[in-house]
Amino acid sequence: MNAFRHLYLLVALAAILASGCGAPHGQPTKSSEVLAPNEVLEFGTLYAQNCAGCHGADGRGGAAIALANPVYLAIADDTVIRKVIANGVRGTAMPTFAQSAGGMLTDAQIDVLTKGIHARWSQRKLLDAVSAPPYTSKLIGDAQHGEAAYKTFCESCHGPAGRGGRKASAISDDSFLALVSDQSLRTTIIAGRPELGAPDWRGNLPGRPMSDQEITDLVAWLASRRSQNPGQPYSVSNYEQH
């Protein structure tokens, strides 16, 4: 019995020693190695590290629009998404991410984010039966007509002159307009902010979607209300909130 036990211990010891031959003491295994930041090509990791802080976990929205909004992804194709990620949006909180433009992400990483956003959250043919306004417009906006469009489609929620109402916040105050681009305004009007209860361009008046011209005019009106010197103290009369 003692001899058998001795033999068993020798075999077990040999197995332990053999298992350690391929991994010298103190050296990490291949599976435990940490990738360099520019080698990460997994969508979930890249999104969590670079996008979720503003656009929310799983693209559900936060300080910035929800990327998981299928209406937004129906009007913003891969070219649009990639350009925004790579170059950012000047004058807004959207930074540049491409290394070629001073950011931290490689072209391959930007490709992963671009394709992943559409692959995970878009809905093919969502707007095929609808004449949706284009992401960008070739029309010229008229601020005066835009004010009329605002009263028709937006005032019931955002209040007179865009200073805020019971259902929605102010959208004409200096601080808000200093942080958004004209394209951001247009995108929000078309795609809505479903995470905040804001409808897309079809939902403000039942059976009466906004036209491309009305959206363009509305953006022109909002842009006309921007402060010429956004770094200066904001005007009290234009900053009322409810």
Side-chain angles (χ1 to χ4, degrees):
M1 181 65 72
N2 289 335
F4 178 77
R5 182 179 298 174
H6 182 67
L7 178 61
Y8 175 80
L9 291 174
L10 288 175
V11 172
L13 179 61
I16 292 172
L17 292 174
S19 66
C21 291
H25 181 69
Q27 180 174 325
T29 62
K30 187 174 182 179
S31 61
S32 67
E33 294 179 4
V34 178
L35 292 174
N38 63 353
E39 295 178 342
V40 177
L41 293 174
E42 196 274 317
F43 174 83
T45 302
L46 288 172
Y47 180 86
Q49 293 177 343
N50 299 281
C51 314
C54 291
H55 295 284
D58 298 321
R60 293 193 297 265
I65 63 171
L67 296 177
N69 179 351
V71 175
Y72 168 65
L73 294 179
I75 63 171
D77 58 19
D78 279 359
T79 301
V80 168
I81 299 293
R82 195 184 198 289
K83 182 179 179 181
V84 172
I85 295 173
N87 301 325
V89 180
R90 184 184 296 274
T92 74
M94 178 64 190
T96 295
F97 281 100
Q99 288 182 348
S100 59
M104 298 292 291
L105 299 183
T106 65
D107 288 344
Q109 290 173 319
I110 293 174
D111 286 340
V112 169
L113 283 172
T114 300
K115 295 175 182 177
I117 287 170
H118 268 107
R120 289 171 180 248
W121 298 319
S122 65
Q123 296 180 17
R124 293 183 178 181
K125 300 181 179 181
L126 177 70
L127 300 181
D128 282 1
V130 184
S131 180
Y135 178 77
T136 57
S137 180
K138 297 181 180 180
L139 303 175
I140 298 175
D142 182 292
Q144 186 173 354
H145 291 165
E147 183 175 14
Y150 175 84
K151 291 179 179 179
T152 300
F153 295 101
C154 315
E155 187 174 79
S156 61
C157 289
H158 292 284
R163 291 195 289 265
R166 293 183 178 179
K167 295 181 179 180
S169 63
I171 57 173
S172 64
D173 61 77
D174 300 335
S175 57
F176 172 72
L177 292 175
L179 295 171
V180 294
S181 65
D182 286 3
Q183 181 59 58
S184 295
L185 292 170
R186 179 178 178 84
T187 300
T188 301
I189 294 168
I190 298 174
R193 290 289 302 266
E195 73 278 14
L196 299 178
D200 61 39
W201 88 101
R202 299 166 294 181
N204 294 289
L205 290 179
R208 174 70 167 85
M210 297 181 72
S211 68
D212 183 5
Q213 186 66 65
E214 287 170 328
I215 294 169
T216 305
D217 291 342
L218 178 54
V219 171
W221 178 71
L222 288 169
S224 73
R225 298 179 65 81
R226 281 198 181 97
S227 170
Q228 296 300 312
N229 300 294
Q232 302 300 314
Y234 300 129
S235 60
V236 175
S237 63
N238 202 31
Y239 194 60
E240 296 177 8
Q241 295 192 16
H242 301 273

